[in-house]
């Protein structure tokens, strides 16, 4: 079913396509709503340089890069989910496999790579898995396969690497910090060497989480300073509203005024697509009439539901997982304070309030924590320089679950 | 296979007709699930659903039903490959094992000999190579088709996969979008509930609810119809029939399995008489409940046994003490048992009190100790209590200050006095009538009168089994009011009795 909304003949008339809710699943490219402008921006950035794409979990990173990959007619793109990778050898292996799969012209693509491998191994290598020698020689092999690839006619090669930080995290755990750093360095030097090579790093944990721990281990390089950092924001309210509307249509939900319901949904979840999906999914199972108030109740209930359907606990847990132990109370303290503020507050004000709850020795520590919380999308700085939670919904959640609301 | 065959423990053995015939409560969910699978097969969208609910709540029935509905959709068949990983009999310890099980499931479905040969060849490889080859084979085999993966006990599968296997699985799903999943699990588990693990937020999680009284009656009705038992279906459609079902509902909660088992002992007569039918369910379910115990750790088992023997809620501290486990461990074991649907909790002040969630399970575990006498008493008491009759109207009609209407009550006492000469009224009936009057007093919080009648009836009824439960309820109610609505007094009662007293006072559990 296609409906033409806003049929006043204006240029912004949107074609709405009915679709089923799918919270958490894989979307087909046409179901990724409201990301066209961002995707355009990404392609434009990629004309010049590689990109680090970052966002909160479940914000839609994967959907975006998969859509770019699927709709990249005429471009040579490779999409890989790297969380399965735990060693450099496996990294090379998975690149070889994806590349050969993507370019399956019957003939092996990676000729240079194959002959190098044979030399190193001392015999022909037939299987998918690489021989042990690749554990030691992964660097030259990685360079070789990329070199083969960019030598193909057809212009720029794009790698979409999902969950790259998770891979680095695992490699760091399995093989130590040095190896993880070497991977980052090698990739950077490949980008420097081959002007037709582009990479997109993204993943469910922030790259900076891994970089911070590498720095602590003495890593001084800046392995992504040549890349453009792009944040995935929540959807524009109008897009979130359209998404809600399309889902309401797709699920055949009976409401008096779909527009108003859709708008309420979009607003009450701050335009976050994943939550829009959840709320409409809930409506699809709803018994009884649905009004704007129903939506508000659903969202409020979500926030205190022990089953945590919106996966909000993540915002607390990840601090415990990825931050240093001594940082946790500082991070919690700052967020506790901000969660009860109704307007954005200045750094000085924030530090003052913090000082009234814990001993502060070092203003710089607070400053860098504020920065980290920004990188992790908990908080943001407005044009006046004041700080507030990035999403009111998450602020509400924080306040509730830390027992700070009266 | 007999089409009307009703399997009590393995719904996957039932015919699609029978699965449909007795399906209640979840039609909307079924339709949505089918739609989602259809969408996943016909478009690039892929849905991943996880149904969560304790054992016996109808997960396998649901999955089987969906399976047959999907198989009936002509338009899907050329683009669909199904693999169904059944409940038991599979041991998955790695991503490779999972892939091999998937092939096994595909083979069971379509007997594709060529595929089987190719899978065989995998076994000659090293595990790492085998895994890569198996994944590639699966991709090639599916080509443009979508795999519908039905997985029961996903929690076990995830445990076997461990974090590494889970990561490989998620990678494969993200990279290929070749598979839609309908999975079940008796409880939420770390793999999907822990924020830092790969599958967080990945599944559409659906918590399955137990049957309401109405739905349970409806289920029995449908079974009676499917099996051509007309007398029974007529009886079930009456108010009295529903009253009888209510007793089982109070004891069993909304467990589908219990009602399916129950249905097998039912005729109009046995349902009406009830006591023997319930004794039969107990007998039939005992091995089942014992088997359920094998899903929990020895420590948890000990806790369950202890709770069964107590027969009423117990605070954590006391459980810890009697099981010789630390408070902290006890707490976490209880939380786990609660998630799995074995126990329920109530908080009293700052303390949590726990008990077995299904009274029936408790009775099953305890039945041997007293040869079932207490269950018989309980069932006949509940049967009487939950039978609607005119008495209620009469009592409700008593004036506000019922003390003045003591005459009626005295007549009741008198009736009791002359009982030996009046065998037409059974002890059970008298006990119920008295308790109904007491209920009326309680709902008016007429403490003085309650105390008075409690003492009268204790004296008169104490020696009789039929009075045990009513007297216990009276006592709890009096203590409750004496203590200024002290909830602790209610904790002396098992869950099914507590519910009755609670209704008198319109008390809600916390
Ligand atoms: N633009 C969109 N339109 C519609 N739904 C969306 C959109 N973006 C995200 N979603 C919803 O959010 C879910 C998560 O999206 P996605 O997997 O792309 O997030 P992610 O940022 O990659 O998550 P993670 O951090 O866990 O890897 C999707 O399954 C879908 O339900
Ligand atoms: Mg992702």
């Amino acid at each position: 079913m296609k409906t033409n909304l806003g049929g006043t003949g204006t240029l912004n008339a949107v074609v709405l396509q009915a679709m089923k809710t799918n919270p958490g699943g894989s979307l087909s490219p046409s179901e990724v709503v409201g990301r066209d402008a961002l995707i355009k921006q990404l392609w434009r950035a990629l004309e010049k340089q590689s990109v680090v794409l970052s966002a909160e979990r479940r914000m839609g990173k994967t959907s975006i890069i998969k859509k770019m990959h699927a709709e990249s007619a005429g471009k040579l793109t490779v999409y890989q989910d790297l969380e399965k990778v735990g060693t450099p050898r496996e990294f090379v292996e998975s690149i070889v496999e994806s590349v050969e799969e993507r370019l399956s012209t019957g003939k092996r693509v990676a000729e240079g790579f194959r002959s190098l491998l044979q030399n190193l191994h001392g015999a022909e290598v037939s299987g998918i898995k690489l021989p042990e020698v690749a554990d030691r020689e992964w660097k030259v092999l990685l360079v070789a396969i990329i070199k083969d690839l960019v030598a193909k006619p057809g212009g720029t090669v794009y790698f979409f690497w999902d969950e790259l930080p998770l891979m680095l995290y695992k490699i760091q755990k399995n093989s130590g910090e040095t190896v993880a750093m070497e991977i980052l360095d090698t990739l950077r030097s490949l980008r420097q060497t081959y002007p037709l090579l582009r990479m997109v790093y993204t993943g469910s944990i922030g790259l900076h989480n891994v970089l911070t721990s590498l720095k602590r281990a003495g890593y001084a390089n800046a392995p992504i300073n040549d890349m453009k950092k792009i944040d995935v924001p929540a959807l524009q309210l109008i897009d979130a509203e359209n998404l809600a509307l399309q889902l309401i249509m797709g699920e055949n939900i009976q409401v008096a005024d779909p527009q108003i319901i859709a708008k309420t949904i979009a607003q009450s979840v701050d335009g976050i697509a994943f939550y829009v999906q959840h709320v409409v999914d809930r409506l699809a199972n709803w018994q009884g009439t649905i009004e704007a108030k129903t939506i508000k109740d659903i969202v409020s209930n979500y926030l205190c539901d022990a089953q945590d359907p919106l996966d909000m606990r993540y915002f607390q847990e990840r601090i415990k997982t990825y931050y240093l132990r001594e940082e946790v109370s500082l991070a919690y303290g700052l967020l506790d304070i901000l969660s009860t503020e109704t307007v954005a507050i200045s750094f000085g004000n924030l530090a003052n309030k913090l000082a009234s709850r814990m001993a502060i020795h070092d203003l710089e520590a607070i400053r860098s924590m504020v920065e980290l919380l920004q990188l992790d999308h908990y908080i943001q700085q407005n044009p006046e320089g004041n700080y507030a939670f990035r999403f009111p919904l998450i602020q509400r959640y924080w306040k509730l679950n830390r027992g700070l609301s009266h | 296979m007999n089409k009307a065959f009703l399997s009590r423990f393995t719904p996957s053995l039932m015919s699609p007709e029978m699965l449909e015939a007795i399906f209640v409560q979840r039609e909307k969910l079924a339709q949505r699930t089918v739609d989602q699978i259809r969408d996943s097969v016909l478009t690039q969208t892929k849905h991943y659903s996880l149904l969560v609910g304790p054992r016996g709540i109808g997960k396998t029935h649901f999955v089987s039903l969906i399976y047959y509905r999907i198989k009936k959709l002509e338009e899907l068949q050329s683009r669909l490959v199904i693999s169904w990983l059944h409940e038991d009999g599979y041991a998955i310890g790695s991503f490779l094992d999972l892939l091999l099980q998937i092939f096994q499931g595909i083979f069971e479905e379509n007997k594709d000999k060529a595929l089987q040969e190719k899978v065989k060849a995998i076994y000659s490889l090293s595990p790492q190579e085998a895994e890569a080859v198996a994944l590639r084979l699966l991709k090639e085999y599916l080509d443009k088709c979508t795999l519908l993966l039905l997985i029961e006990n996903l929690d076990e599968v995830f445990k076997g996969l461990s974090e590494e296997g889970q990561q490989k699985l998620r990678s494969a799903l993200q990279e290929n979008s070749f598979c839609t999943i309908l999975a079940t699990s008796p409880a939420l588990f770390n793999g999907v509930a822990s924020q830092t693990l790969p599958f967080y937020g990945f599944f559409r999680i659906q918590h399955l609810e137990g049957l309401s009284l109405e739905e349970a009656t409806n289920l029995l009705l449908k079974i009676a119809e499917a099996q051509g038992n007309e007398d029974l279906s007529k009886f079930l459609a009456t108010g009295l029939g529903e009253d009888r079902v209510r007793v089982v509902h109070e004891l069993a909660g909304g467990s589908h399995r219990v009602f399916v088992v129950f249905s097998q002992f039912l005729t109009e007569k046995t349902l009406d008489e009830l006591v023997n039918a319930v004794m039969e369910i107990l007998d039939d379910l005992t091995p089942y409940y014992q088997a359920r115990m094998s899903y929990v750790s020895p420590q948890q088992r000990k806790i369950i046994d202890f709770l069964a023997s107590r027969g009423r809620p117990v605070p954590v501290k006391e459980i810890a003490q009697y099981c010789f486990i630390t408070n902290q461990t006890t707490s976490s074991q209880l939380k786990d048992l609660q998630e799995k649907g074995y126990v329920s909790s109530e908080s009293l002040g700052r303390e949590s009190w726990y008990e077995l969630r299904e009274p029936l399970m408790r009775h099953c575990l305890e039945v041997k100790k007293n040869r079932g006498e207490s269950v018989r008493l309980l069932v006949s008491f509940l049967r009487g209590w939950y039978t609607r009759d005119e008495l209620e109207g009469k009592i409700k009609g008593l004036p506000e200050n019922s003390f003045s209407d003591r005459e009626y009550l005295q007549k009741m006492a008198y009736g009791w006095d002359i009982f030996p000469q009046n065998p037409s009224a059974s002890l059970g009936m008298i006990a119920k009538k008295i308790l109904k009057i007491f209920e009326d007093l309680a709902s008016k919080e007429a403490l003085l009168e309650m105390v008075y009648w409690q003492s009268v009836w204790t004296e008169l009824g104490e020696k009789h089994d039929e009075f045990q439960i009513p007297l216990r309820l009276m006592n709890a109610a009096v203590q409750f009011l004496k203590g200024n609505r002290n909830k602790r007094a209610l904790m002396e009662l098992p869950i099914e009795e507590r519910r009755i007293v609670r209704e008198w006072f319109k008390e809600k559990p916390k």
Side-chain angles (χ1 to χ4, degrees), chain A residues 58 61-62 162-163 203-204, chain B residues 170 174:
Chain A
R58 310 270 77 191
K61 302 173 291 289
T62 302
D162 207 350
E163 303 298 358
S204 53
Chain B
R170 198 176 90 130
Q174 298 248 68

Side-chain angles (χ1 to χ4, degrees), chain B residues 282-318:
Chain B
L282 282 187
D283 200 38
D284 215 59
L285 283 178
T286 303
Y288 162 69
Y289 280 122
Q290 280 162 353
R292 267 181 70 169
M293 294 288 251
S294 63
Y295 292 105
V296 302
S297 70
Q299 213 169 41
Q300 293 178 336
R301 218 184 147 127
K302 203 152 103 185
I303 295 177
I304 292 179
D305 276 337
F306 173 68
L307 291 177
S309 70
R310 272 303 162 97
R312 55 178 182 78
V314 191
V316 177
K317 249 195 281 149
E318 198 175 325

Side-chain angles (χ1 to χ4, degrees), chain A residues 28 31 80 95 97 116 134 142 190 220 226 232 237 252 261 263 301-302 312 343 361 370 377:
Chain A
S28 75
E31 290 174 329
Q80 288 187 279
I95 294 178
E97 196 182 356
L116 172 65
L142 177 58
L190 280 168
D226 61 323
V232 179
L237 278 186
N252 218 343
I261 296 295
K263 192 178 206 121
N301 283 335
Y302 271 159
M312 290 274 189
V343 291
H361 308 293
V370 166
H377 306 99

Side-chain angles (χ1 to χ4, degrees), chain A residues 21-22 26 31 57-58 66 81 83-84 101 127-129 163 170 251 281 284 311 314 317, chain B residues 28 32 44-48 129 136 139 167 170-171 174-175 177 195-196 198 200-202 204:
Chain A
T21 58
N22 190 359
S26 314
E31 290 174 329
R57 263 209 97 163
R58 310 270 77 191
K66 280 172 84 170
D81 183 294
E83 68 183 290
K84 64 187 165 192
E101 201 175 88
I128 304 175
K129 290 302 218 185
E163 303 298 358
K170 279 168 74 178
E251 294 288 349
D281 190 46
D311 300 335
Y314 175 70
E317 292 296 317
Chain B
K28 197 167 173 185
R32 292 195 71 210
Q44 287 179 58
T45 306
K46 301 292 172 247
H47 295 266
Y48 312 108
E129 186 71 16
R136 189 177 278 186
K139 276 191 248 179
Q167 287 172 333
R170 198 176 90 130
S171 271
Q174 298 248 68
E175 280 184 5
S177 301
Q195 299 70 19
T196 47
Y200 193 62
F202 191 85
R204 181 198 309 249

